Amino acid sequence: MTLRYLSYSAADNGGYYFAQNSTLGFQKIFVLNIPSRFDRRRNMESLAKFHQLRFDYAQTFDAARANTLGRANGYTTNGTHLACYLSHLAIFKRMVDQGIETALVLEDDVDIEIDLKHRHKLIMDQVYARYKSDWDMLYLGHCTSDASEPGVASLISASGSASESTTSSKDSRGHGRVSMATDVNYPADRAAFLQRNLSLYMAEYPMCLHAYAVTRECAKRLSVLLEERLRTVGQDIDLVLAVGIEYGMTTVLGASPPYMVQVGREELPSDLTLLRDGDTAQYLSQSTLYHLKLRTSNPQTLPPYMDWPWFKPKIVTNSKDTADPAHGNTSIKEPRATL
């Protein structure tokens, strides 16, 4: 049986046969990289080599080129934010024009769990079991919490009332975004959340576009939507997509916990925004870049999402079972798969 984006074999334990290949089972893996950012290109090439992945470095826009196009076409945003917007839009148009049925899109500031292919296989098994080929986008990384994400509601409940430990907001359809805003101390709840089962969920308001998969049919719709929004709304592309998802534009899935995260602006300065706008660095159980000594600090010590600044995991040192082979410190327990 052949699906439109991955080959499936019943002999492969009921999962995707090519989910662990050099493109993680997608037709392409695109990487958005500005040619002048040699530091980011080095990191991405190191990740590709370590995980035996094949990247297609896609054309990107710089601010000057984006502004020229913006003035010529009457776009309502400009600068580096427009450059980012146009770079992702160009991927969608390329997929439509070249008949690329699925693609994984990565920005060049990602870090990846060291057991990437194992985790990815578990997630793609769940995608097939639940949705077959009927999905539009799959966020393998996201930088803020989502009220629909497994474990979020239970953590809020265990941490006390929302008024004390969280802030939240809902749209007109009742979908919520959750932000852990107060410094509280629930080490047992933190540990349980960090060690939650690796699972698939229906995303309601995903933010950040550093690691997501998209189908050609979805890319076709997004190309139209994003072109129109450039002339009317002028918001960042991830916000435009999140609002569209809230209103049923696409069937969007997420992996929890994410196994592709952003390195963060403190270690890898952003071309898009300044550090004072908030760091985007996120927790990883076993960082590939840290293992390769391409990061200065272990992301085990980071919060899981950028809207949970207080969430610091308790790191137990000198564990013989889960020590980092490169640095000798321990990892949080590996997530398990659930269906």
Side-chain angles (χ1 to χ4, degrees), residues 132-178:
K132 299 294 190 289
S133 60
D134 188 21
W135 60 274
D136 295 308
M137 296 183 74
L138 170 61
Y139 281 72
L140 303 182
H142 50 101
C143 64
T144 62
S145 53
D146 193 314
S148 64
E149 184 178 356
V152 170
S154 60
L155 183 66
I156 294 169
S157 175
S159 300
S161 68
S163 61
E164 294 175 351
S165 62
T166 68
T167 60
S168 62
S169 60
K170 292 187 176 182
D171 67 10
S172 59
R173 300 171 67 208
H175 293 169
R177 287 92 70 190
V178 180

Side-chain angles (χ1 to χ4, degrees), residues 6 33 37 55 79 131 183 187 191 267 275 287 289-290 320 329:
L6 288 170
N33 172 248
R37 291 304 301 266
F55 290 164
Y131 299 97
D183 191 4
E267 284 197 72
L275 182 60
S287 157
L289 290 180
Y290 187 68
K320 295 181 180 179
N329 42 23

Side-chain angles (χ1 to χ4, degrees), residues 223-296:
S223 296
V224 176
L225 171 77
L226 294 173
E227 281 281 9
E228 188 272 333
R229 292 294 188 273
L230 271 174
R231 294 175 172 83
T232 58
V233 179
Q235 294 173 323
D236 291 351
I237 185 171
D238 52 355
L239 183 58
V240 172
L241 289 177
V243 171
I245 290 163
E246 281 192 319
Y247 286 90
M249 180 191 71
T250 54
T251 300
V252 179
L253 310 175
S256 178
Y259 43 91
M260 297 183 178
V261 305
Q262 292 171 298
V263 170
R265 299 164 189 154
E266 185 172 343
E267 284 197 72
L268 202 60
S270 172
D271 296 299
L272 191 63
T273 189
L274 299 176
L275 182 60
R276 66 169 179 264
D277 295 322
D279 199 6
T280 57
Q282 291 176 250
Y283 169 89
L284 280 179
S285 174
Q286 285 279 295
S287 157
T288 302
L289 290 180
Y290 187 68
H291 172 76
L292 296 174
K293 300 183 179 180
L294 293 173
R295 293 188 70 168
T296 58

Side-chain angles (χ1 to χ4, degrees), residues 92-123:
F92 301 148
K93 291 181 177 180
R94 179 174 171 182
M95 290 180 67
V96 174
D97 293 342
Q98 297 182 6
I100 298 170
E101 294 300 325
T102 59
L104 175 62
V105 182
L106 302 178
E107 294 181 339
D108 59 4
D109 61 344
V110 299
D111 193 359
I112 299 173
E113 288 284 7
I114 208 165
D115 57 347
L116 162 67
K117 291 188 176 180
H118 170 69
R119 292 175 187 250
H120 186 63
K121 173 68 162 56
L122 296 177
I123 284 295

